[in-house]
Amino acid sequence: MTVRRDFKEPARCRPDLVIGRDELFTTARDQLTRGGSVLLHGPAGIGKSTVLRALAADYGEAARTVLRCSATESESHLPFLALADLFGLVLDEISDKLPVAQRTALESALTGRGESTLQRDGLALRLAVLSALRALAAAGPVLLVADDLQWLDSASAELLGFAARRLGDTPVQLLCAVRTEEQEYDRHLRASPPDTLAVRLNPLSRAQVSALLDHRGYTDLPRSTMREIHRTSGGNPLFALELGRALGESPTPPRPGEPLPVPTSLRALVLSRLDMLSDEARRTLLVASAGARPTLALLHAAGRENAEAETAQAAALGLLATEPEGPAVRFAHPLISAALYAEAPAQERRAAHAALSTAASDPIERARNLALATTGTDPEVAARLAEAAALARDRGAPSVAASLGLLAARHTPPDGAPAPDDRRLQAAEDAITAGEVDLARDIAREVLTRATVPAERIRAWEVVIEAAGQSLGEVDAVFPQALADAGDDPRLLALVHYRLAWRKLIVEGDFAEAREEAAHTADLAARGDDRRTELMALSFQASTETLMGHPNAPTTIKRALREPQDPYVACHHNGVGAARFRWLLMSDQLPEARSTITALLREVRRRGMVESEVHFQRFLAETELRSGHCGRALDLARESLRLARDSGIGLGASAMLASLAEASGGDVDRALALAREAAGKAEEDGDQMYVSRALAALGHARLVAGDAAGAVGSLRRVRELEQGLGITDPARGRWQGDLAEALVRVGEPGEAQDVIDVTREHALRLGRESVLAVLDRAEALVRAARGDHEAALSRLTSVQDRLAKLGYGLEEARAAFALAMLRTGRPGPTSYDEASRLFRRCRALPWLRQVDAAIAAAAPEAVAVPPQTAPPSDALEGLASMERQVAALVMEGATNREIAARLFISVKTVEATLTRVYRKLGIRSRVDIVRLAAGRHAK
């Protein structure tokens, strides 16, 4: 089939809808743009056809002619079928351009009117295909798009391979896709043009599978279910979509501990080889599919005496991939295990679990299998499951604990002790710890439909509120109900008021009210003898006071550190350890902050506390960033963001920190995108606390990108927001120095000095030495903009030394950079070597690029105004301060770039200032300024 320039693909094939393949798509698109060919390869269902169509739609318009074919297994025995698809509609266009023998052979092959065969007309046919492609290319570029090369009929494959290897510089490109396993694409690559790029499509990540299902409308699936879809599908998009569809259409979700239901379409796809197994081998595989970590020893213990021979038979059929160096029995794809289990009758499944309940050595695995082998309620089974859940919790596997807890609740009699709902709520709390907030919320809501005991209802309300995360405004209706359920019980009231304190901070953005609510919570908890809630409240109060710059912060931290302590609170991301870390970080104690957060991160990983891990990974990244370890900070920030996207927890905060890390050590465009994402997420959540942090990150990224005016716009809004929030400690966001610098660059040194003065007052009160040093750096730029260069140079030299002693490597490098820029065009050393050295030490790539740009800007331009003696003051009468400085530098012969570097403003600001100077002085150009000054001097 031939398609001309108006070739269009359905909207579903647009490259922006090829989820999770951005980098791969760009690589393939660049290869095509360079004139090369592309071979996409990967297993069935991995998305080759989708990417192929998207690339064809995106690049196809660059070709005059697009030839297409798509083979199928059922038609692969028909000779020349693919050739007919490719050339059938262009035969009339090219036939008269072929030699007679070639034309006759090609027409016979395409139309079937003759008896052309490769054996009889082999050379003529081969040359005919090559000549046909050359004839089409003579009129313009040709793109040949072929899907499912593995089903191409052998005759067509031979002819196309012959032509492809001989096209040379002919403008014919191939865009093909082939189903392969591992590295089996070599045969197809040898039949492609020499410049063909082989691109393998790998499985999608969990976040990408989630995005794919969201795009297809499966938006109500819990994250725990999404995790199972990703695991069962192995990241294969076709398998994931089919599993998502089956779950979306199923009236009842799978029970805890059970594999996902596998639709018939996938069962047929992956189980076609099962019929070749013996019945006994199939039962052995069923036992393996029911086990968490099957081994040959486990299969033997479960009664499968011939496990070696039966697994070997399955491996020969491609169902198993036995580990050559270990005892593990691994399915070739997780979907095979799930489909095999789904296909088995319920009685056989229970028998497999019953065998494993005694064969497994791990108590957690034994309890899980016992539950799945048992029907109805059973107090003994429920108790064993509860014990297994506690063991999983202690091992740092809260997700497993939640699953076992739900199984325990299912097997607990209605009048059991603990009650079924007690075990459900424990499972919900474990799910919260594991980051499975959707599951936790659903459990709590279900319990609330029947719970009547106040303590039980408050416990469920806590889960609902916690599951809301930063979107506390969405659960506003919960608080009055929870207060009513708490009555006058101080212990229950403390739990509710602790959540209200967070609401004051996040939704209302009122730090003072949040602090008061936290203090009230601590008092209530003490009266109710609830030490855990008291410590959480004191930790919250201490963190709030620290961010506010409140003088009581150190005292409150000491109160929160008093014994007795609670291990959970000590390592929680809102606990006392985190409060102490914030204090250390804001007090410039970077080594202590790093050791504190590293220990906390290690502990929450051991406990499986996903939300705390997201935040502590971000905290460690922030510590490394302040220390000037930009590469390390970038790696940590990206990992925190990946974990946040995967779990759906702390996404805005992680995007904000990742933006700062990208602006310092990565890609500025990515920094801008992440800052906008963080701001949008905070706005969406109604999170007043993080709106300002996200905008501060956006302002910083804009400053690094050279958009001083944009930085001023963002950071002015941050200043307004934080004034409204009651935040006075400049060490919280450290945006004030950036705002002052940006203001200088846009020609507003007066406002910059105001920012510096106000901030300095708070920094002096709180002893924030690094903030004071950064403010002094900004003030040096103000002085330079006002013409006091000597004072600016002296201050910058001092600032660089102070920041080095404090351990702020990146800020030290920025001071060295400012010093080098200020010396440009003046007598004495002007080398940027020191700034380059310091930025390289920090791995601060965006800043190194700025140094390179400054060096280029300092180079003499082809035409420059000759140096002049300093003009008399009356030559510049009537000009504003900035206008006088710009005009004076013009008279010295400085270019616009040199002026921008000397005055720390943008080139656009220089141009705008000169326009005003021309208008005020009644002149038209730079030369007129010099002439005007020279004329007046002669007088």
Side-chain angles (χ1 to χ4, degrees):
M1 181 171 63
T2 303
V3 189
R4 302 293 180 180
R5 290 185 192 176
D6 59 351
F7 169 69
K8 299 290 182 184
E9 284 287 340
R12 62 185 173 86
C13 298
R14 293 202 321 268
D16 58 313
L17 298 184
V18 183
I19 293 170
R21 307 296 191 192
D22 296 346
E23 185 175 348
L24 177 151
F25 188 91
T26 300
T27 299
R29 180 65 169 77
D30 290 346
Q31 170 73 0
L32 292 170
T33 302
R34 289 191 294 268
S37 296
V38 173
L39 175 68
L40 304 171
H41 65 100
I46 202 67
K48 302 179 298 297
S49 297
T50 300
V51 175
L52 183 84
R53 289 193 297 267
L55 282 167
D58 186 63
Y59 182 72
E61 294 185 4
R64 176 186 177 272
T65 304
V66 178
L67 306 176
R68 297 179 61 89
C69 71
S70 182
T72 63
E73 184 177 12
S74 62
E75 298 172 339
S76 60
H77 66 287
L78 300 174
F80 306 121
L81 183 62
L83 204 67
D85 285 343
L86 290 169
F87 293 106
L89 297 181
V90 293
L91 186 59
D92 292 342
E93 178 182 341
I94 60 174
S95 60
D96 60 347
K97 300 174 184 177
L98 304 180
V100 174
Q102 295 179 20
R103 181 170 67 246
T104 301
L106 185 60
E107 287 177 347
S108 297
L110 297 186
T111 63
R113 288 194 294 268
E115 295 183 359
S116 180
T117 66
L118 275 180
Q119 288 71 26
R120 194 183 73 182
D121 301 319
L123 181 59
L125 272 174
R126 287 173 172 83
L127 294 175
V129 172
L130 180 60
S131 298
L133 289 172
R134 286 173 174 167
L136 288 170
V142 176
L143 177 66
L144 190 154
V145 181
D147 198 3
D148 284 320
L149 284 184
Q150 74 277 2
W151 304 132
L152 217 64
D153 64 273
S154 58
S156 296
E158 166 63 23
L159 293 170
L160 289 173
F162 175 87
R165 293 189 293 270
R166 290 164 175 79
L167 285 170
D169 295 331
T170 307
V172 176
Q173 296 170 265
L174 272 66
L175 172 58
C176 306
V178 61
R179 180 189 300 180
T180 59
E181 297 295 338
E182 302 302 330
Q183 302 299 316
E184 295 175 2
Y185 64 91
D186 289 350
R187 174 170 58 88
H188 301 282
L189 193 59
R190 287 193 295 271
S192 302
D195 61 350
T196 300
L197 174 68
V199 179
R200 180 170 179 81
L201 276 72
N202 292 315
L204 299 180
S205 68
R206 191 192 306 178
Q208 290 165 347
V209 165
S210 178
L212 176 65
L213 290 168
D214 283 347
H215 173 66
R216 293 299 179 91
Y218 306 117
T219 57
D220 297 327
L221 298 174
R223 287 191 175 274
S224 55
T225 302
M226 199 71 72
R227 185 189 64 227
E228 283 301 302
I229 289 176
H230 179 258
R231 186 193 65 79
T232 304
S233 68
N236 184 298
L238 173 64
F239 297 171
L241 284 171
E242 286 297 300
L243 289 168
R245 180 184 60 78
L247 284 166
E249 295 174 355
S250 175
T252 56
R255 295 192 300 179
E258 291 186 350
L260 297 177
V262 179
T264 304
S265 59
L266 291 185
R267 294 188 202 184
L269 179 64
V270 300
L271 298 182
S272 57
R273 286 163 285 186
L274 273 181
D275 292 339
M276 302 173 68
L277 285 174
S278 65
D279 291 341
E280 289 301 310
R282 186 163 181 155
R283 290 191 185 97
T284 296
L285 289 194
L286 176 60
V287 174
S289 72
R293 292 176 296 276
T295 63
L296 288 172
L298 179 65
L299 294 176
H300 278 299
R304 307 311 303 167
E305 297 178 356
N306 298 317
E308 285 91 346
E310 289 159 354
T311 55
Q313 182 187 2
L317 293 172
L319 294 167
L320 289 181
T322 53
E323 302 291 345
E325 301 298 330
V329 175
R330 183 170 60 86
F331 283 89
H333 192 282
L335 189 62
I336 296 175
S337 173
L340 175 66
Y341 187 92
E343 189 81 2
Q347 184 177 354
E348 290 187 16
R349 291 189 215 170
R350 287 196 294 271
H353 286 298
L356 289 169
S357 69
T358 57
S361 59
D362 184 79
I364 292 177
E365 185 65 4
R366 287 200 302 270
R368 185 185 75 87
N369 280 290
L370 178 61
L372 295 174
T374 305
T375 58
T377 60
D378 187 319
E380 183 179 347
V381 171
R384 287 183 59 181
L385 284 164
E387 291 170 3
L391 180 59
R393 200 176 302 119
D394 290 342
R395 289 181 180 179
S399 179
V400 175
S403 177
L404 292 168
L406 289 175
L407 285 171
R410 196 176 85 203
H411 289 285
T412 301
D415 57 351
D421 281 346
D422 282 340
R423 284 177 166 152
R424 288 189 181 92
L425 287 173
Q426 179 61 64
E429 291 162 358
D430 287 330
I432 285 285
T433 302
E436 298 177 6
V437 293
D438 295 336
L439 175 62
R441 181 183 55 246
D442 292 345
I443 295 170
R445 291 285 189 187
E446 179 195 350
V447 170
L448 283 165
T449 61
R450 54 180 172 265
T452 57
V453 178
E456 197 173 79
R457 291 185 62 79
I458 293 298
R459 193 177 175 190
W461 286 129
E462 276 208 287
V463 171
V464 171
I465 296 169
E466 183 76 15
Q470 301 297 106
S471 305
L472 284 179
E474 295 180 1
V475 292
D476 265 349
V478 165
F479 293 102
Q481 298 177 67
L483 284 170
D485 286 334
D488 56 2
D489 186 329
R491 188 183 185 92
L492 299 181
L493 283 170
L495 295 171
V496 180
H497 279 278
Y498 176 72
R499 304 295 174 179
L500 282 169
W502 277 104
R503 186 191 175 283
K504 292 283 186 184
L505 184 63
I506 293 175
V507 178
E508 298 181 14
D510 193 325
F511 273 68
E513 286 290 330
R515 173 184 174 272
E516 292 297 326
E517 193 71 69
H520 179 50
T521 299
D523 291 340
L524 285 169
R527 283 164 46 199
D529 197 25
D530 182 356
R531 183 59 174 162
R532 173 173 289 190
T533 303
E534 181 186 7
L535 287 172
M536 290 295 289
L538 287 170
S539 301
F540 177 81
Q541 182 183 344
S543 295
T544 305
E545 289 173 348
T546 299
L547 295 174
M548 293 173 66
H550 196 284
N552 288 357
T555 303
T556 307
I557 290 176
K558 288 178 181 177
R559 285 181 63 197
L561 287 169
R562 288 177 191 161
E563 295 294 337
Q565 284 294 311
D566 182 293
Y568 174 81
V569 177
C571 66
H572 192 275
H573 60 279
N574 290 321
V576 64
R580 181 172 179 272
F581 161 77
R582 290 187 184 93
W583 173 258
L584 291 169
L585 189 67
M586 294 174 70
S587 301
D588 299 324
Q589 300 179 57
L590 296 182
E592 294 87 345
R594 181 184 293 106
S595 61
T596 297
I597 199 62
T598 300
L600 287 170
L601 182 58
R602 188 184 306 116
E603 179 62 14
V604 299
R605 282 175 173 164
R606 187 188 71 80
R607 289 171 171 261
M609 299 169 68
V610 173
E611 184 172 7
S612 293
E613 182 182 354
V614 171
H615 290 296
F616 288 162
Q617 184 101 352
R618 174 171 56 86
F619 290 168
L620 181 57
E622 184 175 2
T623 307
E624 298 294 354
L625 190 59
R626 293 194 184 182
S627 302
H629 305 151
C630 298
R632 171 71 172 150
L634 185 60
D635 291 342
L636 289 165
R638 286 176 174 172
E639 176 60 21
S640 174
L641 183 60
R642 184 201 64 75
L643 188 58
R645 293 195 194 284
D646 200 31
S647 64
I649 295 171
L651 181 55
S654 294
M656 176 275 298
L657 199 282
S659 171
L660 292 172
E662 292 285 355
S664 298
D667 182 88
V668 178
D669 288 338
R670 192 178 296 125
L672 290 165
L674 285 168
R676 293 187 181 100
E677 178 185 350
K681 186 73 173 75
E683 295 276 10
E684 176 187 333
D685 290 342
D687 185 348
Q688 298 301 310
M689 185 170 63
Y690 266 101
V691 169
S692 64
R693 293 296 305 273
L695 288 173
L698 180 58
H700 179 74
R702 284 174 166 168
L703 182 67
V704 177
D707 180 12
V712 167
S714 296
L715 296 175
R716 276 175 175 163
R717 189 178 171 204
V718 174
R719 179 175 57 184
E720 294 170 2
L721 287 170
E722 294 207 349
Q723 285 174 350
L725 290 169
I727 298 172
T728 60
D729 193 335
R732 187 240 183 183
R734 297 176 181 263
W735 49 266
Q736 296 85 352
D738 283 347
L739 175 55
E741 182 174 338
L743 286 166
V744 171
R745 291 191 188 185
V746 299
E748 297 289 349
E751 184 182 347
Q753 188 63 55
D754 290 341
V755 171
I756 292 167
D757 292 342
V758 171
T759 307
R760 182 178 283 133
E761 180 181 350
H762 294 299
L764 284 168
R765 173 175 60 84
L766 297 166
R768 303 299 190 230
E769 292 298 327
S770 63
V771 174
L772 289 168
V774 169
L775 292 174
D776 283 350
R777 184 184 68 206
E779 190 167 48
L781 305 184
V782 173
R783 293 192 177 189
R786 290 174 169 170
D788 192 355
H789 290 82
E790 296 307 321
L793 287 168
S794 174
R795 177 155 295 195
L796 283 173
T797 303
S798 170
V799 164
Q800 183 180 343
D801 183 59
R802 288 156 58 196
L803 288 168
K805 290 178 179 177
L806 289 167
Y808 284 77
L810 182 58
E811 298 295 353
E812 175 195 356
R814 288 180 64 179
F817 184 29
L819 196 58
M821 292 182 71
L822 195 60
R823 285 172 173 162
T824 301
R826 298 177 60 81
T830 60
S831 173
Y832 285 88
D833 290 348
E834 175 71 355
S836 293
R837 181 185 69 81
L838 292 173
F839 281 134
R840 279 196 301 273
R841 185 182 70 182
C842 296
R843 286 181 57 191
L845 301 182
W847 289 101
L848 277 170
R849 286 190 282 271
Q850 286 203 31
V851 173
D852 292 340
I855 293 172
E861 293 188 353
V863 179
V865 179
Q868 302 288 328
T869 58
S873 58
D874 62 349
L876 305 180
E877 287 179 0
L879 298 182
S881 171
M882 178 64 72
E883 294 165 352
R884 283 198 302 273
Q885 292 177 68
V886 170
L889 289 172
V890 168
M891 294 172 192
E892 292 179 12
T895 65
N896 286 1
R897 287 183 179 179
E898 291 170 344
I899 295 170
R902 292 270 295 275
L903 298 182
F904 294 92
I905 58 178
S906 67
V907 174
K908 288 186 177 180
T909 301
V910 174
E911 294 168 350
T913 303
L914 280 175
T915 299
R916 294 195 299 272
V917 170
Y918 299 156
R919 186 174 62 251
K920 288 183 178 181
L921 297 181
I923 57 179
R924 296 183 178 180
S925 68
R926 299 164 59 93
V927 176
D928 289 336
I929 294 179
V930 178
R931 289 173 178 168
L932 180 63
R936 294 191 179 184
H937 182 68
K939 295 179 182 178

